[in-house]
Amino acid sequence: MAGKGNSWPSQSSNELRNPGHVRPKKFVVKNPLLYKARVEVTMFQLHLSAVKLAELHSDLKIQEKDELSWKKLKAEGLDEDGEKEAKLRRNLNVIMTKYGMNGRKDSQLVDTNYIKDGTESDTLDDPRLEKLWSKAKTSGKFSDEELDKLWREFKHHKEKIHEYNILLETVSRTEDIHKNVINPSEENLVKEEILHNKHRELKEKLRSINQGFERLRKVSHQGYDTTSEFEEPRVIDLWDMAKSANFTEKELESFREELKHFEAKIEKHHHYQKQLEISHQKLKHIEGTGDKDHLNRNKEKYAMLEEKTKDLGYKVKKHLQDLSSRISQGLQHNEL
């Protein structure tokens, strides 16, 4: 996926202007480990914005790295119970569902425009969230900037619920298959252990969802605490979970410092996402003028911003993955 001979395609100028009247470029996801067959989806079918396309690239790059690591572990006989392979399958399922690549029209998350407010047309798909957001908007407790920040928190919470539901559906299917097996065997005992691990992952996600909702409820009613350490939803989630994990005071302080660096990285990524979206809109406008020199200069800028956004997106997701893994280990230790 990430090799030189198989780089992810960018949107051509024709596709930017009129994607429905050109031959769609193939958008190929190769996953010989988990799906064997190629999954081919055209960009036109995906209906992804420039920002979401960069996000998809980052998610798939993470998936590929994880698969390579798993292959090495398997070669050394270190995934005998198949737990890591099962997790790879779940992660890929989340990616394909998140970007509408699983053939189900109702599964893709709403693609929020980074330039327009989007808060009037986007939905949160949860009556409790909709009610909280409506109250917060009309409360008069938030500035425009704080409302934008709060909306990001609500959208982040919606995504967490979406990913939880995908995992829950996967676990339910696996349990149904497991119940239909009559004769217990060593292989089935292994599958039972995988199910146990899935349930633990579900429990962690549900804990995070409940904590996140309580925070949204509190902020919506009381406004933002000016002494709050973090602003980014993912960082707030990590910090809340870290305080519940089995960390020493020194480890927790070290984690806090790392979260500050992580939040700065996320803010930088947000900046480039916004610049990419602006450049994308500008490029579409310039195409209508017929000024080729101007168009070429803006194409170069767009390509630079696209690569930078992809690179930062990958780094943010990898850092988030590492931080989440450390917290998960701490929470598991609490349960022992």
Side-chain angles (χ1 to χ4, degrees):
M1 280 183 285
K4 291 182 180 178
N6 190 27
S7 59
W8 293 101
S10 301
Q11 289 167 302
S12 71
S13 58
N14 284 333
E15 287 169 319
L16 287 167
R17 182 175 66 250
N18 199 2
H21 290 81
V22 296
R23 184 175 64 84
K25 189 183 293 184
K26 292 288 187 180
F27 195 86
V28 182
V29 179
K30 291 185 178 180
N31 200 306
L33 171 62
L34 302 178
Y35 279 95
K36 295 184 181 179
R38 295 194 327 176
V39 179
E40 294 189 0
V41 184
T42 64
M43 281 193 227
F44 176 63
Q45 289 169 326
L46 283 173
H47 291 292
L48 295 181
S49 67
V51 170
K52 274 292 183 184
L53 198 57
E55 283 291 288
L56 173 58
H57 175 278
S58 301
D59 279 335
L60 290 171
K61 188 174 179 183
I62 289 281
Q63 179 74 13
E64 182 187 41
K65 296 280 186 183
D66 287 346
E67 286 187 13
L68 290 173
S69 298
W70 172 80
K71 282 182 178 179
K72 291 177 182 177
L73 286 175
K74 188 180 181 185
E76 296 168 6
L78 297 178
D79 189 32
E80 291 183 0
D81 59 1
E83 178 190 347
K84 289 182 172 59
E85 181 181 7
K87 188 168 184 178
L88 276 174
R89 288 179 183 274
R90 294 199 300 276
N91 290 345
L92 184 61
N93 188 33
V94 167
I95 291 170
M96 296 185 74
T97 303
K98 180 179 176 182
Y99 296 98
M101 298 166 67
N102 63 347
R104 289 168 54 183
K105 292 181 181 179
D106 62 335
S107 64
Q108 187 177 343
L109 285 171
V110 174
D111 190 2
T112 306
N113 192 311
Y114 279 78
I115 304 305
K116 299 175 184 175
D117 176 33
T119 54
E120 296 301 326
S121 58
D122 289 349
T123 59
L124 294 166
D125 300 334
D126 185 319
R128 294 189 308 165
L129 293 180
E130 296 283 3
K131 188 175 179 181
L132 276 182
W133 172 243
S134 179
K135 282 187 176 181
K137 275 197 304 182
T138 56
S139 68
K141 295 175 182 174
F142 301 94
S143 65
D144 289 343
E145 185 179 343
E146 285 175 332
L147 273 179
D148 286 342
K149 184 169 74 170
L150 184 60
W151 177 248
R152 287 203 307 272
E153 288 201 49
F154 272 93
K155 292 291 287 184
H156 173 64
H157 192 79
K158 174 186 173 180
E159 289 177 7
K160 285 200 299 183
I161 294 172
H162 189 69
E163 291 189 6
Y164 173 81
N165 287 334
I166 293 169
L167 180 58
L168 183 61
E169 186 180 332
T170 305
V171 171
S172 298
R173 284 201 305 267
T174 309
E175 282 183 333
D176 288 341
I177 295 169
H178 189 68
K179 285 175 184 176
N180 290 331
V181 176
I182 299 172
N183 297 320
S185 65
E186 187 175 337
E187 184 181 350
N188 290 325
L189 289 174
V190 166
K191 288 179 180 177
E192 195 170 319
E193 178 63 22
I194 292 173
L195 265 179
H196 174 74
N197 290 326
K198 284 183 181 179
H199 279 289
R200 187 177 64 222
E201 190 178 347
L202 274 171
K203 188 177 177 182
E204 287 177 15
K205 285 185 179 295
L206 190 58
R207 182 194 289 123
S208 175
I209 286 171
N210 289 334
Q211 286 179 341
F213 181 78
E214 281 306 306
R215 171 183 161 72
L216 284 174
R217 187 184 60 78
K218 183 179 177 182
V219 172
S220 297
H221 284 88
Q222 300 177 11
Y224 276 109
D225 181 359
T226 54
T227 62
S228 179
E229 267 190 285
F230 303 109
E231 294 187 1
E232 220 294 321
R234 284 169 289 183
V235 180
I236 292 168
D237 274 353
L238 288 170
W239 180 236
D240 286 344
M241 292 178 74
K243 287 184 288 186
S244 303
N246 192 38
F247 290 147
T248 65
E249 190 174 329
K250 187 177 179 181
E251 287 172 336
L252 194 59
E253 183 57 34
S254 174
F255 198 81
R256 183 207 304 263
E257 289 303 310
E258 190 168 351
L259 285 179
K260 289 179 182 177
H261 292 298
F262 180 51
E263 188 166 58
K265 191 181 291 183
I266 291 173
E267 287 171 0
K268 187 176 181 182
H269 183 223
H270 280 325
H271 167 76
Y272 274 96
Q273 284 181 316
K274 289 175 184 177
Q275 293 304 308
L276 178 64
E277 185 63 34
I278 291 169
S279 177
H280 182 258
Q281 298 298 329
K282 189 176 180 180
L283 195 57
K284 288 199 292 185
H285 172 72
I286 293 170
E287 282 187 320
T289 66
D291 187 340
K292 290 186 178 180
D293 289 339
H294 196 192
L295 179 62
N296 287 333
R297 286 196 301 272
N298 278 273
K299 275 185 180 180
E300 288 176 8
K301 183 180 179 181
Y302 176 82
M304 181 275 292
L305 287 169
E306 186 182 39
E307 284 308 308
K308 188 68 178 176
T309 305
K310 287 177 181 178
D311 181 55
L312 277 170
Y314 168 75
K315 288 176 179 176
V316 164
K317 290 173 188 294
K318 187 70 177 73
H319 201 166
L320 175 62
Q321 189 182 57
D322 294 341
L323 292 169
S324 299
S325 177
R326 282 164 55 188
I327 290 176
S328 181
Q329 289 170 10
L331 290 172
Q332 285 177 39
H333 194 274
N334 283 352
E335 294 174 1
L336 295 178

